[in-house]
């Protein structure tokens, strides 16, 4: 059993008594059958579980438990007027109305463990939920046993509620945790059911959607066959689950989306990004004969069913981008309006705070790495450097900023080496390329990287000038 100190959010309660919970459980307009299924599964599991654990034991996709809980909590908040927490992006955080949470340990399936609130758990003991099914009914009446290819239909108009936008782009400065955030969200919601691809300047439509390529047969002969790209592979997974009557979410995760010419890479699939109410594609496109034949084989249906395609509601496309980086292409307005953009700021309250020994006025003072990073960003901002070129809190890896029991950095020499090779190189070559003399005010010759590194070995952070040292000395812990 986890310590009470590990559960969050602390100092928050929806202020709903057991008696009030009993009233709510009896109101089917508030607590639907799907909500009762989640609560009964949680209670049966012992009151603490991850969505993944519930999925593995009782069936249904883990997303079912996640979304059903959020929808239930939202209806309860609307009914009772109970206090609601807000996320950092000002969106409401619903689940704490029902549960406490903590991070799962390495041996637990899933990422977050939910724990029924004591008043709700007691109400579930008193309320009759015997008629609510624990396990998923695998005998779906709407699944046909007819094996005839000609009768199988594709359903693109799948409605699949999601806590996130279906077309989503995360952007921000280097080191703000864009890839980490999408990876964490993807792992929690999709498990391993997602595909990651990285765009680059030579990436093309044939890479993204598919094309004919030479293939080796079992007889060691070379033949040409159609090879699908990540877009078609994820599309097929999403459509196949819809045909089976139990649609599960499939994700295509694109890293560095603006490092390729996206209009050329997406081609005609660009039209599919227009979705009806954030669900399936509003408009269909006609596919080529090779794609049609591939879909026919993969989905076991008639050619006529595959001639026009849409993105189904259970297929999500997420991406990362940094608009101020070198070697990127602009996104046109028509492309951007089909996505929801989410900005990650350069400041994070949970940023690493390893203490770095810094020489200030003849003394060695412990200054947190975060204070140094913020001071560098402040100086860049005063020079009118674009915010997307500032240094994010996770620019340096946690291993570089590992601390001892006193919070001081363990490997100071390693930190200095990484600082020169990553931070100074980035500032010299990219962020302050046109303003080196202003940024490195403490260097006599700041236009040679080798000289800059030697000066850093001798002077430390004085290479940024005495004003910089004064700014970090004000907050040296």
């Amino acid at each position: 059993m986890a310590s009470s100190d590990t559960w969050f959010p602390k100092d928050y309660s929806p202020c709903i008594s057991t008696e009030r919970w009993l009233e709510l459980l009896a109101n089917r307009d508030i607590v639907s059958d799907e909500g009762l299924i989640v609560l009964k599964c949680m209670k049966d599991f012992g009151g603490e579980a991850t969505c993944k654990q519930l999925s593995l034991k009782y069936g249904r996709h883990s997303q079912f438990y996640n979304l059903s809980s959020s929808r239930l909590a939202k209806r309860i908040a609307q009914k009772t007027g109970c206090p609601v927490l807000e996320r950092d992006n000002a969106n409401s955080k619903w689940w704490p109305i029902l549960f406490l949470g903590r991070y799962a340990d390495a041996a637990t399936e899933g990422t977050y463990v939910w724990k029924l609130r004591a008043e709700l758990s007691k109400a579930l003991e008193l309320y009759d939920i015997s008629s609510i099914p624990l396990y998923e009914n695998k005998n779906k009446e709407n699944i046909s046993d007819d094996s005839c290819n000609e009768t199988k239909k594709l359903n693109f108009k799948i409605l699949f509620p999601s806590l996130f936008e279906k077309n989503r782009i995360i952007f921000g400065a280097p080191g703000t945790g864009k890839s980490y955030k999408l990876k964490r969200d993807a792992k929690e919601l999709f498990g391993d059911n997602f595909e990651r691809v990285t765009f680059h300047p030579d990436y093309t439509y044939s890479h993204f959607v598919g094309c004919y390529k030479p293939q080796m047969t079992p007889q060691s002969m070379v033949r040409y066959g159609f090879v699908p790209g990540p877009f078609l592979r994820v599309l097929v997974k999403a459509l196949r689950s819809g045909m089976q009557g139990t649609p599960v979410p499939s994700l295509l995760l694109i890293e560095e989306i603006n490092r390729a010419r996206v209009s050329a890479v997406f081609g005609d699939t660009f039209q599919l990004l227009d979705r009806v109410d954030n669900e399936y594609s509003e408009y269909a496109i006609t596919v080529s004969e090779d794609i049609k034949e591939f879909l026919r084989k993969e989905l076991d249906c008639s050619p006529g069913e595959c001639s026009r395609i849409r993105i189904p509601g259970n297929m999500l496309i997420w991406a990362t981008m940094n608009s101020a980086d070198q070697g990127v292409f602009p996104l046109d307005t028509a492309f951007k309006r089909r996505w929801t953009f989410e900005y990650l700021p350069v400041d994070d309250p949970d940023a690493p705070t390893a203490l770095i020994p810094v020489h200030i006025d003849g003394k060695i003072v412990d200054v947190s790495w975060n204070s140094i990073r913020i001071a560098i960003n402040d100086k860049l901002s005063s020079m009118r450097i674009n915010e997307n070129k500032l240094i994010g809190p996770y620019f340096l890896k946690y291993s570089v900023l590992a601390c001892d029991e006193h919070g001081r950095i363990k490997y100071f020499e390693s930190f200095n080496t990484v600082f020169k090779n990553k931070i100074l190189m980035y500032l010299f070559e990219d962020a302050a390329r046109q303003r080196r003399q202003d940024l490195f005010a403490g260097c006599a010759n700041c236009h040679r990287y080798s000289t800059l590194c030697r000066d850093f070995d001798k002077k430390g952070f004085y290479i940024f000038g005495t004003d910089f040292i004064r700014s970090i000395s004000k907050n040296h812990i």
Side-chain angles (χ1 to χ4, degrees), residues 85-254:
L85 289 178
E86 288 190 351
R87 301 178 186 273
D88 294 338
N89 59 6
N91 291 329
S92 296
K93 188 183 292 186
W94 303 110
W95 63 264
I97 294 173
L98 306 174
F99 312 113
L100 292 171
R102 66 175 174 85
Y103 293 100
D105 55 43
T108 301
E109 292 280 356
T111 305
Y112 301 103
V113 181
W114 285 344
K115 176 182 178 181
L116 284 168
R117 289 195 171 273
E119 299 83 0
L120 175 55
S121 181
K122 182 63 176 178
L124 290 170
E125 293 175 7
L126 300 174
Y127 186 74
D128 182 12
I129 53 176
S130 58
S131 62
I132 301 300
L134 268 175
Y135 297 91
E136 181 182 16
N137 179 15
K138 298 295 184 181
N139 300 317
K140 302 288 184 181
E141 295 179 358
N142 61 336
I143 298 178
S144 172
D145 291 329
D146 190 347
S147 60
C148 177
N149 291 348
E150 297 296 320
T151 64
K152 292 190 176 181
K153 302 290 184 181
L154 296 185
N155 179 19
F156 295 101
K157 297 182 180 181
I158 297 172
L159 298 178
F160 198 92
S162 172
L163 294 174
F164 298 101
E165 297 291 330
K166 302 296 176 69
N167 300 338
R168 177 189 184 199
I169 291 180
I170 303 290
F171 72 107
T176 49
K178 299 183 290 293
S179 296
Y180 174 79
K181 179 175 176 59
L182 286 191
K183 180 182 178 181
R184 182 190 62 193
D185 292 347
K187 197 69 176 177
E188 172 67 14
L189 299 176
F190 302 89
D192 295 323
N193 193 30
F194 68 93
E195 184 161 345
R196 184 192 300 270
V197 61
T198 302
F199 279 10
H200 53 80
D202 294 327
Y203 202 77
T204 64
Y205 178 87
S206 60
H207 294 124
F208 186 58
V209 178
C211 65
Y212 271 88
K213 293 181 180 179
Q215 298 171 317
M216 188 69 71
T217 68
Q219 294 77 29
S220 298
M221 301 290 288
V222 176
R223 68 174 181 84
Y224 277 84
F226 183 80
V227 178
F231 177 83
L232 276 186
R233 289 195 294 267
V234 176
L235 177 69
V236 165
K237 284 183 181 180
L239 290 174
R240 187 180 289 132
S241 72
M243 294 172 70
Q244 294 170 349
T246 53
V248 297
S250 295
L251 171 67
L252 175 58
L253 203 164
I254 304 171

Side-chain angles (χ1 to χ4, degrees), residues 64-89:
F64 167 83
Y65 299 97
N66 196 338
L67 294 177
S68 298
S69 298
S70 294
R71 288 195 290 260
L72 170 58
K74 184 176 181 179
R75 290 195 297 269
I76 288 171
Q78 292 169 342
K79 177 67 175 178
T80 64
C82 68
V84 179
L85 289 178
E86 288 190 351
R87 301 178 186 273
D88 294 338
N89 59 6

Side-chain angles (χ1 to χ4, degrees), residues 9-17 21 82-85 96-97 100 117 119:
K10 296 180 180 179
D11 303 323
Y12 165 79
S13 170
C15 302
I16 302 176
S17 66
W21 275 118
C82 68
V84 179
L85 289 178
I97 294 173
L100 292 171
R117 289 195 171 273
E119 299 83 0

Side-chain angles (χ1 to χ4, degrees), residues 31 41 53 62 83 143-144 154 177 189 195 253 299 330 334 339-340 345 374 395-396 426 452:
V31 185
C41 290
Q53 287 176 321
S62 59
I143 298 178
S144 172
L154 296 185
L189 299 176
E195 184 161 345
L253 203 164
L299 300 173
W339 298 79
T340 296
I374 290 173
F395 198 101
L396 299 183
Y426 170 69
L452 186 64

